[in-house]
Amino acid sequence: MALGNLLTFYQLQVALTLLASFFHSPPVSPKCRSQLGDPLFPTINELSQFNDSIDGQLIAIVPSGSYCLSRGGCTEAEWTSSVFRSTIPGAMTNVNWEQNYSSDPNELCFRNSTICGAGNVPIFGVNASKPEHIQAGIEFARTRNLKLVVKSTGHDFLGRSTARNSFLLWTRNFRNITFHDSFEVGGQDMGSAVTVGSGVPLNMLYQAAKTNGKTFVGGTAGTVAPAGGYVQGAGHSALSPIYGLAADNVLEFHIVTPNGDLVTANTESHSDLFWALRGGGPGSWGVIVNATFRTFPILNASHQRTTIIVNNTQDVRTLTEIHAQHIFDWDDARAAQYFYWRAIHHTNGGASQYSFTIDTLFPNMSVPDSIASLEPMLGDFRDKGFNFTTSSVQTNINDILTVSTDLVGGEAVLASRFWSDDVYRNNVTDIGKAYQTLFDDGAAAILGHKLLGGRVSENANIDSAVHPGWRTAKTHMVITNTWKDTTSSIEVETLRNDLTKNKTPILASLAGPDDGSYSNEGDVREPEFQRVFYGRNYARLSSIKAHYDPHDLFIVPTGVGSERWDSAGLCKL
Ligand SMILES: *[C@@H]1O[C@H](CO)[C@@H](O)[C@H](O)[C@H]1NC(C)=O
Ligand SMILES: *[C@@H]1O[C@H](CO)[C@@H](O)[C@H](O)[C@H]1NC(C)=O
Ligand SMILES: *[C@@H]1O[C@H](CO)[C@@H](O)[C@H](O)[C@H]1NC(C)=O
Ligand SMILES: *[C@@H]1O[C@H](CO)[C@@H](O)[C@H](O)[C@H]1NC(C)=O
Ligand SMILES: *[C@@H]1O[C@H](CO)[C@@H](O)[C@H](O)[C@H]1NC(C)=O
Ligand SMILES: *[C@@H]1O[C@H](CO)[C@@H](O)[C@H](O)[C@H]1NC(C)=O
Ligand SMILES: *[C@@H]1O[C@H](CO)[C@@H](O)[C@H](O)[C@H]1NC(C)=O
Ligand SMILES: *[C@@H]1O[C@H](CO)[C@@H](O)[C@H](O)[C@H]1NC(C)=O
Ligand SMILES: *[C@@H]1O[C@H](CO)[C@@H](O)[C@H](O)[C@H]1NC(C)=O
Ligand SMILES: *[C@@H]1O[C@H](CO)[C@@H](O)[C@H](O)[C@H]1NC(C)=O
Ligand SMILES: *[C@@H]1O[C@H](CO)[C@@H](O)[C@H](O)[C@H]1NC(C)=O
C-alpha cells in the first residue's frame, strides 16, 4: 500500500475513531501510546518525511487475510506455509495472533474473509535492511510516543511480534550468515562460531552450516529465527543434551538498544544486557541485528520414529506410564526425544482417536544400536498388546532437523511446565492420570520434550537469565488448545480460559516447587508470568530493564515490565 492508499485507510480509521469517541468519549491520556485519531499521531506529511529518511522502507501493514485479498487470494499451500507467511509484513505463523476477538465492530480477518478490520496488527512499520533503519525507527517511535513491536519471521506462540495500533520494526531482511574458524571475545578464542542476522530462519542456517561442515544448537521449525526470539527465550534443541541451550552457546549480540545506540553485548561489553538477552525473553531489550553462536563439527544421528494410534484415553494413560518408566533409558546416549500425543477428531462424528509419535534422535549412533536402546520400552508396549509402527534413518543432523516449510496458518494457544527427574521417579501413575484427564477435558495435544538433562544440567553454573528450572528439568511439557476460523469469539474465549484456568494447573501440579515454564512455549495469559517464566531472575531483569529502557518502549505481553501496561501494551495501568 502506498501513501495514497494509506491516506484513504487513515481517513476511514480516523473517522471510525472519532465516531467511537463521540459515543464513548475516551479520555485522551498521556499515559497511553499515541493512537490513530489522537491529535499527536503522525500526519501523512511526517510519515512521508520519515519514509524519505529510511530509504523509502516505510511499509503499510495489514493482516494476512487482507494481504491475500489485495492480491486476489492466496492458495491453501501459501496460506499454510510458514515460509510464505514470513514474507507478509502483517502475518503471524498462527493467524489467531492477528485477530482481536473482542473487537466491536467485528474485525476478524481470515484467508477467505471479504471484510477485514485492522485486528491486532501494526498499522505501519520499517522494512529494515540496515541498523540505521532500526535506529531511525526507534527515534521516530520514541518522539511520537508510538507503540513499538519487533518481528522477524512471525513464529511466536505468544503473539508478541504483533500488536494493535502499533509501529513495526521488521528484521526479516537481516540475513547475513558468516562462519568463523575462531571467534574472539575480549581477546579470548572461543572456537568456531557463526554470526547470524536476526532475520535468518533455521532452515536457511542448517543448510549453510551443512555446507560448512558444522552444526549448532537450534530448534526444529523451519522459520524460527535463532538470532531473534528463540535465543532470548533460552532455546531448546535436539542437541541440548550434548551442547546445552542456545542461550548457553551465544557469544555476542549486536543490538540497537532502546536509546538508539548500536552496541556489542558480550561478557566484556554491556555484560548486564548480555546476561538479560540470554533467557530474559524477546521483545524487551532492543532490536538484535545479529548474534554469534558456537558451532560444532557436523555429526550423523539415527532417527527413530514410533507411532501408535489408540481409541480411548485409558490407552493413552497406559502407554504414557510405560513411556515415563523408560524416560531414563536414553540419558547415557544423550539422545533427544520429542514425544507428542495428539487428539484426532473424526469429522464424520466417529469416536476420537489419539496418536502417539515418539521421535528419538541418537547422535553419533548406528541404527541397530538406537533400536536396541528403545527396545525395552517397545517390548513393554508389545506385552500390553499395542501395535505400533517404527521407522529408522541415519543421516547428518542438519538434514534431520531442518524442514523446508511448516504447516501453519491455523489457531493455537500453548501452556507449559518443566517436569523434574523426581516426578518421573516417584509419580509415574500421576503422570498417566494427568494425560488422561487433559484429553478427557478436550486438550488438542500434549507435546513432551526430553531435550533437557545432560549438558543443560551441567551448564547450571552459567550466569545468565535462563530460568533455573531448565537446569533441573527432565522434560518440558506443552499443552495446546486449537480452534478454527469459524469458531465463535465466545467459544475462543472459553477455550483460552479453559487452558489457563483448568488445564495448566494439571501440568503445574506435577512441576514441583521449581514451577517453571519455557517463556517461548508458554501461555501469554500465565497469571504469575514473572515467577513462572523468569523465576528468581526477575528482580535483576527488572533493574536492567529500567537502565536500558526507562521509557518502556519495548513492552510485550509477559515480557519484563509488562505488568505496568494493559494487555495490548497501549496504556499504562
Ligand atoms: C515509502 O517510499 C517508497 C519510495 O518512495 C515508496 O515506494 C513507498 O510506497 C513509501 N511507503 C509508503 C508506506 O507509502
Ligand atoms: C480489541 O478491540 C477493542 C475495540 O474494539 C479494544 O478496546 C481492545 O483493547 C482490543 N483488544 C486488544 C487485545 O487489543
Ligand atoms: C478458502 O477458499 C478456497 C477456495 O476459494 C477453499 O479451497 C478453501 O478451503 C477456503 N479456506 C478456508 C479456510 O475456508
Ligand atoms: C523489504 O525490503 C526488501 C529489500 O531490503 C525488499 O526486497 C522487499 O520486497 C521489501 N518487502 C516489502 C514487503 O516491502
Ligand atoms: C551484512 O554483511 C555485509 C558484508 O559483510 C555488511 O556490509 C552489512 O553491514 C551486513 N548487514 C547486517 C545487517 O549485518
Ligand atoms: C553484525 O552486526 C554488526 C552491527 O551492524 C556489524 O558491524 C557486523 O558486520 C555484523 N556481522 C556480520 C558477520 O554480519
Ligand atoms: C555420516 O554418514 C555418511 C554416510 O553414511 C558418511 O559418509 C559420513 O562420513 C558420516 N559423517 C560423519 C561425521 O560421521
Ligand atoms: C481401535 O479401533 C480400530 C477400529 O475399530 C481397531 O482396528 C484398532 O485395533 C483399535 N486400536 C486399539 C489400540 O485398540
Ligand atoms: C561424534 O563422532 C565424531 C567422530 O568420531 C567425534 O569427532 C565427535 O566428537 C562425536 N560427537 C559427539 C557429540 O559425541
Ligand atoms: C495388532 O495386530 C495383530 C496382527 O495384525 C492383530 O491381530 C491385533 O488385533 C492388533 N491389535 C490391536 C490392539 O490393534
Ligand atoms: C508424587 O509422589 C510423592 C511420593 O509418593 C507424593 O508425596 C506426591 O504427592 C506426588 N505428587 C503428585 C503431584 O501427585
Side-chain angles (χ1 to χ4, degrees):
M1 220 190 290
L3 275 175
N5 297 346
L6 191 60
L7 184 61
T8 320
F9 177 69
Y10 268 140
Q11 283 164 339
L12 182 66
Q13 294 292 319
V14 171
L16 287 174
T17 312
L18 290 177
L19 199 61
S21 58
F22 180 75
F23 290 112
H24 304 295
S25 309
V28 178
S29 160
K31 68 178 194 173
C32 293
R33 295 295 179 207
S34 195
Q35 296 173 50
L36 272 176
D38 287 352
L40 293 177
F41 200 79
T43 64
I44 294 293
N45 258 347
E46 288 169 327
L47 283 171
S48 182
Q49 273 172 24
F50 172 65
N51 192 16
D52 291 343
S53 80
I54 54 164
D55 309 317
Q57 294 291 77
L58 181 71
I59 49 175
I61 299 173
V62 294
S64 55
S66 298
Y67 172 88
C68 288
L69 197 61
S70 73
R71 69 195 277 279
C74 290
T75 65
E76 193 71 17
E78 287 171 335
W79 180 260
T80 58
S81 157
S82 63
V83 171
F84 179 77
R85 297 188 70 80
S86 73
T87 65
I88 307 172
M92 293 295 289
T93 298
N94 285 327
V95 76
N96 51 302
W97 302 116
E98 300 174 31
Q99 316 300 327
N100 178 343
Y101 287 99
S102 55
S103 55
D104 181 20
N106 185 311
E107 293 184 352
L108 300 185
C109 181
F110 300 106
R111 181 183 157 198
N112 291 348
S113 300
T114 48
I115 305 167
C116 275
N120 285 355
V121 169
I123 304 166
F124 50 79
V126 179
N127 176 14
S129 57
K130 49 188 193 189
E132 290 81 356
H133 295 154
I134 298 290
Q135 292 175 303
I138 290 178
E139 165 78 4
F140 191 68
R142 192 176 51 77
T143 53
R144 310 301 154 124
N145 186 32
L146 301 175
K147 161 74 190 148
L148 255 193
V149 297
V150 185
K151 185 172 87 134
S152 174
T153 63
H155 176 108
D156 184 38
F157 293 118
L158 291 84
R160 293 164 297 190
S161 27
T162 187
R164 167 181 204 75
N165 257 334
S166 66
F167 177 60
L168 173 71
L169 301 178
W170 196 28
T171 62
R172 175 186 145 78
N173 289 303
F174 289 163
R175 294 206 150 198
N176 281 354
I177 301 176
T178 307
F179 287 86
H180 315 274
D181 291 334
S182 65
F183 188 82
E184 283 192 4
V185 176
Q188 198 191 333
D189 184 3
M190 309 302 287
S192 70
V194 60
T195 301
V196 185
S198 53
V200 172
L202 273 180
N203 51 12
M204 204 172 147
L205 188 58
Y206 277 119
Q207 289 312 309
K210 185 184 167 190
T211 307
N212 281 269
K214 297 290 183 189
T215 194
F216 60 95
V217 173
T220 53
T223 60
V224 164
Y230 172 74
V231 61
Q232 294 178 81
H236 65 54
S237 164
L239 292 177
S240 291
I242 315 176
Y243 297 127
L245 300 166
D248 298 344
N249 285 287
V250 68
L251 301 171
E252 180 170 289
F253 293 94
H254 289 276
I255 177 171
V256 183
T257 59
N259 72 358
D261 291 343
L262 173 58
V263 307
T264 303
N266 58 31
T267 51
E268 307 299 312
S269 159
H270 296 91
S271 57
D272 52 350
L273 185 57
F274 184 58
W275 183 88
L277 285 166
R278 293 173 295 155
S284 302
W285 312 103
V287 181
I288 294 172
V289 175
N290 58 42
T292 302
F293 297 92
R294 284 195 186 89
T295 57
F296 303 96
I298 198 161
L299 52 85
N300 287 336
S302 290
H303 173 211
Q304 294 291 331
R305 171 168 291 183
T306 304
T307 313
I308 310 184
I309 295 178
V310 300
N311 299 332
N312 57 65
T313 59
Q314 178 57 48
D315 285 351
V316 170
R317 178 173 174 175
T318 304
L319 286 164
T320 295
E321 287 183 18
I322 296 172
H323 173 264
Q325 279 157 0
H326 286 279
I327 198 98
F328 299 97
D329 290 7
W330 312 291
D331 285 355
D332 287 347
R334 302 221 167 194
Q337 191 176 75
Y338 300 83
F339 52 105
Y340 286 11
W341 274 107
R342 288 195 177 82
I344 310 168
H345 299 289
H346 295 283
T347 43
N348 63 10
S352 289
Q353 289 187 308
Y354 301 88
S355 77
F356 193 17
T357 305
I358 308 172
D359 278 315
T360 319
L361 272 157
F362 295 90
N364 267 2
M365 197 187 269
S366 71
V367 167
D369 286 354
S370 67
I371 291 174
S373 180
L374 284 164
E375 184 49 34
M377 177 183 70
L378 299 181
D380 284 355
F381 287 169
R382 258 184 240 113
D383 290 349
K384 293 277 181 186
F386 291 101
N387 290 339
F388 50 85
T389 57
T390 57
S391 61
S392 317
V393 61
Q394 198 200 32
T395 175
N396 82 69
I397 190 83
N398 295 25
D399 282 338
I400 300 179
L401 294 181
T402 199
V403 279
S404 54
T405 188
D406 304 288
L407 197 58
V408 299
E411 291 87 352
V413 282
L414 270 53
S416 64
R417 281 298 185 276
F418 298 122
W419 284 357
S420 70
D421 273 24
D422 282 351
V423 173
Y424 282 94
R425 286 189 213 285
N426 304 324
N427 302 79
V428 165
T429 320
D430 301 312
I431 290 174
K433 216 187 296 174
Y435 271 73
Q436 183 169 25
T437 307
L438 287 165
F439 277 129
D440 283 343
D441 290 351
I446 307 175
L447 312 175
H449 303 88
K450 198 198 91 64
L451 313 171
L452 311 175
R455 191 61 185 263
V456 178
S457 307
E458 290 154 19
N459 280 346
N461 60 330
I462 293 180
D463 186 21
S464 70
V466 165
H467 191 301
W470 283 99
R471 310 300 184 186
T472 53
K474 183 88 216 156
T475 61
H476 182 241
M477 300 302 307
V478 179
I479 46 173
T480 68
N481 271 356
T482 59
W483 62 89
K484 298 188 168 68
D485 294 0
T486 48
T487 306
S488 75
S489 295
I490 292 168
E491 178 64 8
V492 168
E493 187 50 34
T494 304
L495 283 164
R496 295 198 62 178
N497 200 44
D498 167 63
L499 185 82
T500 308
K501 303 247 167 70
N502 304 329
K503 295 208 168 69
T504 308
I506 295 172
L507 275 192
S509 72
L510 288 162
D514 257 345
D515 186 14
S517 160
Y518 177 20
S519 63
N520 283 349
E521 293 178 344
D523 182 1
V524 72
R525 293 187 179 177
E526 183 67 56
E528 293 181 63
F529 73 85
Q530 295 93 334
R531 179 178 60 80
V532 174
F533 288 173
Y534 309 97
R536 62 167 183 247
N537 295 325
Y538 200 73
R540 185 168 172 204
L541 285 166
S542 296
S543 74
I544 296 172
K545 174 84 176 168
H547 176 71
Y548 282 94
D549 190 16
H551 304 297
D552 276 354
L553 213 45
F554 288 81
I555 291 294
V556 294
T558 72
V560 174
S562 60
E563 65 273 5
R564 292 187 285 273
W565 293 79
D566 65 10
S567 64
L570 284 169
C571 291
K572 268 202 160 163
L573 297 174

